[in-house]
Amino acid sequence: MKTKIICVLFICASIRTIAQEKEAPMQTVVKAVTDKFPTTRILDVQYEQLGPTNFDSKLFGDRYERGRIDQHDRLKVAINVPFFATASKRFVVTGSLRYKYETYDFGNVYNYATGSNYTKEKEEFHYFAGAVSATYMTKLFNKPVIYNATATVDGNQDNVQRVKGFVTANIVIKRTANTTITVGALAMLDPSSIIPVTPLFTLNHKFEDSKWDLDFILPQRLLFRRQLLENGRISFGTELNSESFYLNLNASNLKGIYELNQLELKSGITYEYRIAPQIIGFLKGGVNNVLSTRVTERGERTSKYIYDHKEDAQGYFRFGISYNPF
């Protein structure tokens, strides 16, 4: 899921750049994309810490556990390398690798079945993903358009677990000095997808006589941004993120490979600063709202979940550093 969002953002940002130039070289496109999204850069490392929160869960529809997550940490590493391009630079193939290490520290947990409290051990999860993405740039009805096809393989420390893919198409419907609007569609090649086809919409608007701009991507983000200091940029807004990893379970009623999918809405402030010509750091903080946390059998639709839980809102803090030669 995470790789899908990243690739969609890559496409949406790329098409804005093409709209600005009749014959935009790929280097210009990549520069615009990597400027907006750190996880699309050659190398990106991020660490996130989420504050304490209370949770209440159900297993097979029955109340299961309630308790407290004292701390929740994530470490993410992303590598993106374009490895093939045609002479015209309108067809490009990119390879991506991603790793995530996720930990949970718990406080007291109450089990509804036994009616007792206990101390839950720290849980650790590893997630790996590799993707190959092919992007083709052209024009349709004299308007810039981008087609993309992406295949992803992911898993955990034990094995490769799934192969997924999707295709997209995006077209610019309006381009002025201050405003760019694009529309498109994404089709999932994944049997576990609840919605096989998703509409895409982006709006980028520069306010008149102002240093501020609006960056809206349906359904992922709404940000207000401006430059702050010579090499810095500040952003305020809300972003929708998805997280996932695999669980190898061996309990009496749960045996096999399962998949956790979590949907989060993060609201707050971000500050980015160019430390050196090719090194960029950022700090981000605010409030995290978990919209959904569900566990399904591997490859099943999230609507057929066996476990789900609710969490209270929590504070979060993230910082990262990336290498971007463009």
Side-chain angles (χ1 to χ4, degrees), residues 53-119:
T53 183
N54 297 314
F55 73 92
D56 199 330
S57 64
K58 291 183 178 181
L59 181 65
F60 297 114
D62 298 322
R63 300 194 78 176
Y64 178 52
E65 291 177 339
R66 72 168 186 262
R68 187 168 179 83
I69 301 173
D70 285 336
Q71 187 170 314
H72 181 184
D73 299 327
R74 295 184 182 121
L75 173 67
K76 299 180 181 180
V77 180
I79 300 172
N80 305 278
V81 180
F83 63 87
F84 175 80
T86 59
S88 65
K89 306 299 183 182
R90 293 191 173 275
F91 178 77
V92 176
V93 182
T94 302
S96 301
L97 294 174
R98 280 172 171 74
Y99 167 73
K100 177 174 67 172
Y101 174 62
E102 195 154 0
T103 65
Y104 294 80
D105 287 288
F106 295 91
N108 289 330
V109 175
Y110 174 79
N111 186 286
Y112 287 101
T114 63
S116 61
N117 291 286
Y118 71 100
T119 301

Side-chain angles (χ1 to χ4, degrees), residues 20 23 27-28 34 56 58 66 83 97 99 101 114 119 161 177 189 205 214 221 227 232 246 265 275 287 310:
Q20 297 176 33
E23 299 293 334
Q27 186 173 0
T28 304
T34 55
D56 199 330
K58 291 183 178 181
R66 72 168 186 262
F83 63 87
L97 294 174
Y99 167 73
Y101 174 62
T114 63
T119 301
Q161 301 298 346
L189 308 177
H205 178 71
L214 167 69
R221 65 165 51 175
Q227 294 299 121
Y246 293 96
L265 189 66
I275 302 169
V287 177
K310 308 297 182 184

